[in-house]
Amino acid sequence: MIKTPGDVKTYKLDLKRALANKFLGATLDAFASAYPQSRANAFSGIDFDCLAAEIARGKDDSIPKIEEMLEEFTARAKEAGAVVHFARTAFEANSIIASIAEENGVKRIVKSKSMTAEETFLNAHLERAGYVVSETDLGEWIIQLRGEGPSHMVMPAIHLSRRDVAELFTKVTGQEMDPDDIGAMVEVARNELRRKFLEADMGISGANFAIAQNGAIGLVTNEGNGRLVTTLPRVHVALVGVDKLVPDVTSAMRILSALPRNATGQLISNYVTWITGSVECKSAPGSRKIMHIVFLDNGRLALAKDPIFSQALRCIRCGGCANVCPIYKLVGGHNYGHVYIGAIGLILTYFYHGRENARAIVKNCLNCRACKSVCPAGIDLPRLIKEVHRAILEVEGPKPLKNVLLKRTLENRRLFHFLLRSGSLAQAPVVEGRFLRHLPLFFTEEHRFRRLPALAKVPLRDQWEKINPRIENPRLRVALFGGCLTDFVYPEQGQALLDACRGYDVRFEYPMEQSCCGLPALMAGEKETARLVAIQNLKAVDPAQFDYVITLCASCGSHLKDYADLLADEPLLGVKAAQLQDKVIDFSSFMTKVLRVDPGEFRSAGGGKTAYHAPCHLCRGQGVTKEPRELLSLAGVEYVRTKEEEVCCGFGGSFSLDFPEISAELLKRKLDNVADCGATALVTDCPGCVLQLKGGMEQRGGKVEVKHIAEMIAERRK
Amino acid sequence: MAKEDSTAQFAERARSVQTVVAEAKDLAAVFEYAADITVKQGGDTLAAPGIQGKERDRLLEVCRAKGIELICGELRETAGRISTGLTGADWGIAQTGTLVMDSKSEDIRLASMLCETHVAFIKKSRIAPDAGTIEKELSKMMKASHGYLAFISGASRTADIERVLTIGVHGPRELHVLIIGEDGQ
Ligand code: SF4
Ligand code: SF4
């Protein structure tokens, strides 16, 4: 039986164990390194974003019509000789299937892979009722023999080594297996399972598609076990989530064009099987297969009506969101989901398997958006994860102290800034250069993976009047949105902006009523606070008064753009939020596209190689990828590409405080990659990433200088 | 896309998933090929439930000459001992190297699933550039009540043990596709 801890403390022990598992780390790392390229190859010649948008649109059109599609499907499938059932709950589905088995005098059952059957714990139900159930997908069979759940939706046994499998098969066959002879092990499975296929009375499959138009179900497999399961036994039962209904063949083909490409980088899976009704089956009475299709609701119909979560039903179960998740890569599926794993798993667990199972895992997300960027159904996974987190906090109450404090301080800018200023004074005795000498009280040993910066002596807002040259008759009027980190920790980045733009006739302003962008509140599940802060910022920075609103913080920038969603229903402010979205710009885009800086403005080259870290909220959050590299090259910087440049550095705001073990490991890999490419400097365009990378570099005593890209550009100006 | 391009792409894509692709002049050449491969692999049976009438007689002759037993029906009875399965394919899809096989008949299904080596033949004129081009035909085949439509791309494979690609876990260990040119029949 699958166990997922309901409290963070136990969960963290599991995480620690997983992080210490060398094999798991290496195998998932190898997979994660190979996946992007094979995926890219598979999609070559196809516009992925366009395809994803089409799939999303198709699903959004059909999700509200699930019940109609079900009716049409049922009529067509009946005509073709199938019996169609509808189960409202998991237990109902299992019971229906058990009674089909009973009615038909079934003893032995073979199964092909079905996440829906995993969802309902069908095997356990059938075994309890006395049936012998055998999984036939190799990976599923392996984990069934081990009594585990899948650790990946497409590759269920990816967490196991050849040694684990050899040991298991030695036990099963009584013959010594050689772990290095994978071919021989596969042969064992072929022989053992072939026998089971021939003896079985009933085959159970899932379905990737149920086509309303013609009553056909579609099955996608590589091994071909799905074909045997649906051919040899006299009874076939397909267990299908109602979200698998599609209106027509066109929709099914569209999804099929994305599913294997995104799942395993294959153009198509080896076997795709379309079954309509009761097919010929010579071992059945009248040579017609006894065919039952059981549709599972289990909350899906209600989910379909939810304004936010209905998106989750678009999922085509490709597993892509796990493949690219930096946390999945470290800890594996057994620690990153319950039955469903990966980003979509964090969400579905709450709905299909309950709060207890979702409570801890749902906090374990960096909001790095890697999952969202590869989802072929265009699901806004990080957002839904936060919404689940929020829902659990709301339901469970009272809220954690962190949330209460966050809410109190952020909702009152004066208090918040007063606290930050006082903090700067109070920390004085423990400051050492730009870092804190000790970690503050509530930190533990595990937080020691990076040094924390000291708050600046004078925040940017208090220096602003002095340092800002106030250009008369400017060409452009630009508001600077500081964000907490630039303002109170790294004001030198603001200075660098002014220096970098010297001579371009830009008048910068720093609207003093601006506050935290509100993203930390949203990340903590405090949506109302986030909304209030957003309103406050919109009042402080009227986008109509400026040509651009620049921010040096990728997270602030991406979140400011999201105000349009957050405040969409707000009268009047909705318009301003939309205007703001059009005016927010990052440093590199501003320099290259607006000011069009000229290489002649920069001192000739010198210094060593420079590496670049792409902040999640810039490259994926705002789709800015070319500009920073372009700017570096314009400024004559010798930029060197590092491995996994676009993988999260592990900061994730307060994530790094909540899950320091994960944050530390991601940071370590990031800095190792930088060290490997021989860079002497590392630039990025987010003060959050700077905090993480600089603190980590300092802690490990590394020599690479970490700075904001604005600082490097300013230094290079003539 | 021109027919030749589709055929070339089909062959390239099918090969990339471990399919053996060859040209055959006509059905007679296909029979020779299937019988030869059976002998070469040390097999002794060939299941070809879809081959009927005069063609069947011709195939029977070929098999006899090579000392192979021809199985034409009731494949369940011989489930454990099919060396080669020989079937036609209705369509080919160039973009993915896929064979589309109407598999309503159980024997056709068993011949292509339970054999050690699957030999399929397809007419060049039936190779479409992509699934979209033949969507109507696909729909029709699915709609036929009691339909079982198979897309087959390569031999049965798994990567479930340490992601090492291993061929032949459940279905055939080898897939051979013979493309019959325009002048063949
Ligand atoms: S946002 Fe990042 S950390 Fe969170 S689930 Fe997606 S990929 Fe994983
Ligand atoms: S959420 Fe998207 S990426 Fe994840 S499994 Fe579903 S379809 Fe694939």
Side-chain angles (χ1 to χ4, degrees):
Chain A
M1 199 60 187
I2 305 176
K3 274 204 217 88
T4 300
D7 66 291
V8 173
K9 217 165 154 197
T10 319
Y11 180 44
K12 285 179 144 205
L13 291 176
D14 288 355
L15 293 179
K16 224 186 226 159
R17 218 167 298 131
L19 285 169
N21 180 339
K22 288 259 154 36
F23 170 78
L24 187 70
T27 196
L28 292 177
D29 196 40
F31 172 57
S33 307
Y35 173 75
Q37 193 54 52
S38 53
R39 175 177 181 272
N41 294 346
F43 276 109
S44 88
I46 293 176
D47 182 341
F48 174 76
D49 292 332
C50 189
L51 177 61
E54 274 176 33
I55 291 175
R57 212 176 313 121
K59 281 278 188 183
D60 286 351
D61 286 346
S62 65
I63 287 169
K65 298 187 202 132
I66 289 183
E67 278 154 301
E68 288 160 49
M69 290 193 293
L70 184 60
E71 225 170 277
E72 195 185 346
F73 181 94
T74 307
R76 295 291 87 76
K78 264 192 187 154
E79 283 165 15
V83 184
V84 181
H85 308 256
F86 177 76
R88 279 169 309 171
T89 66
F91 181 76
E92 231 174 82
N94 293 347
S95 307
I96 291 172
I97 296 174
S99 42
I100 297 170
E102 197 187 331
E103 276 161 30
N104 291 287
V106 166
K107 286 199 183 66
R108 293 191 178 83
I109 299 173
V110 280
K111 255 185 91 234
S112 64
K113 198 154 89 64
S114 156
M115 281 309 296
T116 315
E118 298 283 347
E119 174 185 330
T120 67
F121 300 105
L122 176 62
N123 287 3
H125 186 105
L126 292 174
E127 280 165 2
R128 190 178 285 244
Y131 300 101
V132 183
V133 187
S134 193
E135 293 288 346
T136 60
D137 172 86
L138 176 57
E140 285 282 334
W141 189 50
I142 293 171
I143 59 168
Q144 184 193 26
L145 291 172
R146 286 174 56 99
E148 288 176 335
S151 74
H152 190 282
M153 294 203 286
V154 179
M155 295 161 290
I158 190 171
H159 59 291
L160 297 174
S161 71
R162 56 186 79 196
R163 238 156 272 289
D164 297 326
V165 180
E167 252 170 53
L168 181 71
F169 280 14
T170 302
K171 258 193 242 147
V172 171
T173 59
Q175 288 164 29
E176 197 61 34
M177 297 300 309
D178 173 5
D180 288 320
D181 195 347
I182 289 177
M185 290 196 268
V186 170
E187 197 60 28
V188 164
R190 181 181 173 100
N191 296 331
E192 290 282 324
L193 292 171
R194 187 58 70 87
R195 199 167 43 77
K196 293 184 197 289
F197 279 123
L198 292 167
E199 287 168 358
D201 317 290
M202 177 160 136
I204 299 178
S205 74
N208 297 85
F209 311 97
I211 306 178
Q213 187 187 38
N214 57 20
I217 59 166
L219 251 68
V220 181
T221 78
N222 270 329
E223 298 185 356
N225 58 320
R227 282 155 54 82
L228 292 165
V229 161
T230 56
T231 294
L232 288 170
R234 61 196 155 85
V235 186
H236 173 199
V237 179
L239 174 60
V240 190
V242 289
D243 51 321
K244 296 292 163 53
L245 280 157
V246 292
D248 46 34
V249 176
T250 315
S251 312
M253 290 299 162
R254 187 166 55 217
I255 294 172
L256 182 62
S257 68
L259 176 59
R261 287 184 164 93
N262 216 52
T264 49
Q266 288 171 276
L267 298 180
I268 191 165
S269 301
N270 289 47
Y271 301 106
V272 181
T273 305
W274 309 93
I275 303 172
T276 320
S278 59
V279 295
E280 185 186 24
C281 175
K282 291 189 179 153
S283 62
S287 284
R288 283 281 154 225
K289 175 87 77 188
I290 300 162
M291 166 68 158
H292 291 261
I293 300 168
V294 181
F295 278 102
L296 176 68
D297 175 2
N298 205 20
R300 287 165 170 83
L301 291 178
L303 211 46
K305 297 195 176 76
D306 188 285
I308 294 169
F309 287 108
S310 59
Q311 257 193 55
L313 294 180
R314 290 184 196 158
C315 174
I316 62 169
R317 306 280 188 267
C318 69
C321 54
N323 299 354
V324 296
C325 173
I327 302 179
Y328 171 84
K329 175 169 118 172
L330 295 183
V331 300
H334 285 157
N335 300 298
Y336 210 60
H338 182 61
V339 169
Y340 292 105
I341 58 101
I344 191 69
L346 302 190
I347 299 159
L348 294 183
T349 299
Y350 176 63
F351 292 103
Y352 299 157
H353 298 110
R355 210 164 72 218
E356 183 77 16
N357 289 311
R359 187 187 296 124
I361 54 175
V362 78
K363 294 185 179 151
N364 195 4
C365 167
L366 287 152
N367 189 32
C368 77
R369 309 192 187 186
C371 48
K372 180 181 173 185
S373 73
V374 298
C375 176
I379 304 173
D380 192 347
L381 294 152
R383 170 158 176 244
L384 297 193
I385 291 169
K386 286 302 160 204
E387 292 286 352
V388 169
H389 183 191
R390 185 170 77 94
I392 294 176
L393 285 176
E394 297 286 335
V395 176
E396 298 201 322
K399 295 207 178 158
L401 183 64
K402 179 180 114 184
N403 285 56
V404 177
L405 291 178
L406 198 70
K407 182 172 157 66
R408 291 238 176 98
T409 46
L410 283 190
E411 284 180 13
N412 181 340
R413 182 190 69 79
R414 278 170 205 284
L415 172 66
F416 178 49
H417 287 167
F418 168 76
L419 287 175
L420 283 169
R421 286 195 177 91
S422 324
S424 160
L425 293 177
Q427 72 182 2
V430 294
V431 169
E432 187 177 68
R434 294 299 305 274
F435 293 96
L436 294 181
R437 196 179 312 134
H438 314 291
L439 292 177
L441 258 182
F442 50 90
F443 284 66
T444 65
E445 200 46 42
E446 271 157 356
H447 293 98
R448 204 176 288 284
F449 65 95
R450 66 164 184 225
R451 294 198 64 184
L452 279 184
L455 289 165
K457 281 212 189 75
V458 187
L460 180 63
R461 57 176 59 233
D462 296 350
Q463 313 175 22
W464 184 254
E465 280 311 313
K466 221 167 63 206
I467 62 173
N468 182 22
R470 271 201 92 77
I471 310 291
E472 297 304 330
N473 299 323
R475 178 161 77 95
L476 290 167
R477 283 188 67 186
V478 177
L480 170 59
F481 187 87
C484 308
L485 284 176
T486 305
D487 198 346
F488 286 89
V489 180
Y490 299 120
E492 63 271 27
Q493 296 175 359
Q495 174 77 59
L497 169 70
L498 298 174
D499 294 347
C501 298
R502 194 172 6 92
Y504 280 96
D505 278 344
V506 183
R507 174 153 149 195
F508 287 102
E509 292 183 29
Y510 199 89
M512 290 296 162
E513 296 297 310
Q514 63 173 287
S515 186
C516 168
C517 70
L519 183 63
L522 202 63
M523 288 303 99
E526 294 296 335
K527 198 173 185 182
E528 184 50 26
T529 304
R531 218 178 53 86
L532 292 174
V533 177
I535 292 173
Q536 183 175 339
N537 281 326
L538 263 184
K539 287 181 179 163
V541 186
D542 182 348
Q545 287 177 26
F546 300 98
D547 297 301
Y548 288 95
V549 176
I550 195 168
T551 173
L552 300 174
C553 176
S555 298
C556 293
S558 141
H559 187 56
L560 290 176
K561 289 185 180 174
D562 285 347
Y563 279 8
D565 274 340
L566 198 62
L567 303 178
D569 318 321
E570 209 67 43
L572 297 175
L573 282 172
V575 179
K576 291 285 173 194
Q579 286 178 321
L580 181 68
Q581 190 173 43
D582 296 333
K583 293 195 175 172
V584 168
I585 194 164
D586 62 284
F587 176 74
S588 304
S589 302
F590 184 71
M591 299 302 279
T592 55
K593 285 173 147 161
V594 181
L595 299 190
R596 298 172 189 275
V597 288
D598 181 87
E601 299 287 335
F602 297 96
R603 281 184 289 111
S604 59
K609 295 183 207 159
T610 296
Y612 173 69
H613 163 66
C616 303
H617 293 168
L618 190 68
C619 66
R620 288 178 292 274
Q622 304 179 58
V624 175
T625 53
K626 286 195 304 287
E627 291 78 1
R629 282 122 177 153
E630 210 176 295
L631 179 60
L632 288 174
S633 117
L634 275 171
V637 175
E638 189 192 340
Y639 156 68
V640 45
R641 199 174 163 84
T642 43
K643 195 180 150 207
E644 298 183 341
E645 214 165 73
E646 299 195 339
V647 173
C648 182
C649 64
F651 178 59
S654 65
F655 176 91
S656 58
L657 303 181
D658 295 337
F659 292 96
E661 319 78 353
I662 305 265
S663 180
E665 184 59 29
L666 291 173
L667 177 58
K668 176 182 175 298
R669 292 182 183 209
K670 183 67 47 176
L671 296 179
D672 286 349
N673 287 336
V674 170
D676 286 349
C677 73
T680 54
L682 168 62
V683 295
T684 183
D685 14 28
C686 181
C689 304
V690 168
L691 185 154
Q692 174 87 343
L693 298 167
K694 210 174 177 142
M697 194 59 84
E698 179 73 15
Q699 180 67 27
R700 63 153 69 184
K703 293 280 172 288
V704 180
E705 212 182 335
V706 181
K707 52 181 99 174
H708 195 283
I709 190 169
E711 294 176 88
M712 174 156 280
I713 298 303
E715 285 164 22
R716 290 265 165 172
R717 276 297 306 274
K718 269 184 187 157
Chain B
M1 202 186 304
K3 202 78 269 167
E4 284 309 318
D5 294 345
S6 282
T7 308
Q9 191 185 37
F10 174 87
E12 181 225 310
R13 296 281 154 91
R15 285 187 182 117
S16 74
V17 286
Q18 291 81 33
T19 306
V20 180
V21 183
E23 300 244 345
K25 198 164 86 293
D26 52 19
L27 209 48
V30 170
F31 292 168
E32 286 292 331
Y33 185 102
D36 282 346
I37 196 96
T38 310
V39 173
K40 207 170 107 200
Q41 294 176 340
D44 51 11
T45 55
L46 191 141
I51 310 290
Q52 308 285 348
K54 266 206 298 275
E55 300 299 352
R56 185 193 294 184
D57 298 339
R58 217 192 291 173
L59 178 57
L60 190 60
E61 245 168 70
V62 177
C63 287
R64 271 211 195 109
K66 313 242 163 164
I68 300 169
E69 179 192 348
L70 176 66
I71 303 169
C72 294
E74 303 312 318
L75 264 69
R76 268 181 194 265
E77 316 293 306
T78 51
R81 49 182 202 89
I82 306 173
S83 313
T84 306
L86 174 66
T87 70
D90 297 270
W91 292 96
I93 300 172
Q95 197 188 42
T96 49
T98 301
L99 291 174
V100 178
M101 265 174 64
D102 188 333
S103 309
K104 264 199 302 293
S105 141
E106 179 178 277
D107 281 341
I108 296 270
R109 253 177 285 152
L110 294 177
S112 63
M113 287 176 199
L114 294 178
C115 58
E116 300 289 299
T117 297
H118 179 198
V119 178
F121 56 91
I122 180 166
K123 285 192 188 151
K124 195 181 262 181
S125 58
R126 287 287 197 145
I127 297 178
D130 51 41
T133 330
I134 50 168
E135 205 171 286
K136 265 211 200 88
E137 287 79 1
L138 296 176
S139 277
K140 218 184 276 160
M141 284 191 268
M142 277 184 216
K143 214 169 174 175
S145 277
H146 321 301
Y148 198 111
L149 183 66
F151 289 9
I152 300 176
S153 319
S156 160
R157 65 152 78 187
T158 184
D160 274 344
I161 304 178
E162 285 197 16
R163 293 197 309 113
V164 176
L165 179 66
T166 315
I167 301 297
V169 55
H170 285 303
R173 299 172 201 270
E174 285 184 25
L175 173 65
H176 294 239
V177 178
L178 301 177
I179 301 174
I180 303 178
E182 301 300 352
D183 40 353
Q185 55 100 27

